[in-house]
Amino acid sequence: MGESRRGPVKSAVPSNIVSPVRRCSRTACGRPAVATLTYVYADSTAVLGPLATYAEPHCYDLCAEHSDRLTAPRGWEVLRLVDGSAPSHPSGDDLEALANAVREAARPHERAAEAGGGPRTADPMEVARRGHLRVLRSPDS
């Protein structure tokens, strides 16, 4: 390498040091990628899903901001795939189911009967029980 008026001349050979974090494919965006965009030209569909395991030549990695603002050309559909491994916020139904389970577990009359060793009033449809799981007889048998 030589010197120029502006300083040392940099080598044109790329470095073997590569960042382990994949970056957004958008020009001048250096944020980490969180989603992968793929186009299905035959169906006029843009598919935006979780970050692919490895970089593909015809896919585009996008950061959170660019994936949220993604729009497709007129006549195209954007299909957004939900990442199942990502933590999600509990819905109202989830919280209600949890509250009902806690109420059921805290009912005093069943606990007293179980603790006292008294006879358990079983549902006539119940065939077997293992912990909190019950096996029920089908109504037609």
Side-chain angles (χ1 to χ4, degrees):
M1 291 199 298
E3 290 275 335
S4 74
R5 289 183 290 161
R6 296 183 186 162
V9 176
K10 294 186 179 181
S11 170
V13 177
S15 170
N16 289 336
I17 301 171
V18 178
S19 171
V21 177
R22 288 182 14 211
R23 300 288 175 190
C24 183
S25 298
R26 296 292 302 259
T27 304
C29 181
R31 291 184 288 261
V34 297
T36 298
L37 173 66
T38 307
Y39 291 104
V40 182
Y41 294 97
D43 297 333
S44 299
T45 304
V47 180
L48 183 66
L51 189 62
T53 307
Y54 52 91
E56 290 282 343
H58 301 289
C59 295
Y60 303 92
D61 294 337
L62 299 177
C63 64
E65 182 181 340
H66 286 121
S67 64
D68 288 341
R69 295 187 337 192
L70 176 74
T71 59
R74 187 177 302 159
W76 282 57
E77 180 183 358
V78 176
L79 180 62
R80 295 178 187 269
L81 303 176
V82 178
D83 183 7
S85 66
S88 63
H89 300 290
S91 69
D93 291 341
D94 293 338
L95 294 175
E96 186 176 349
L98 179 62
N100 289 338
V102 169
R103 281 188 208 107
E104 183 70 28
R107 287 179 31 191
H109 64 278
E110 286 186 8
R111 281 191 162 185
E114 289 176 15
R120 193 173 178 165
T121 58
D123 184 1
M125 299 294 288
E126 184 175 317
V127 176
R129 179 180 278 267
R130 175 174 254 171
H132 69 283
L133 302 174
R134 299 184 305 162
V135 177
L136 301 177
R137 183 175 323 142
S138 110
D140 54 9
S141 52

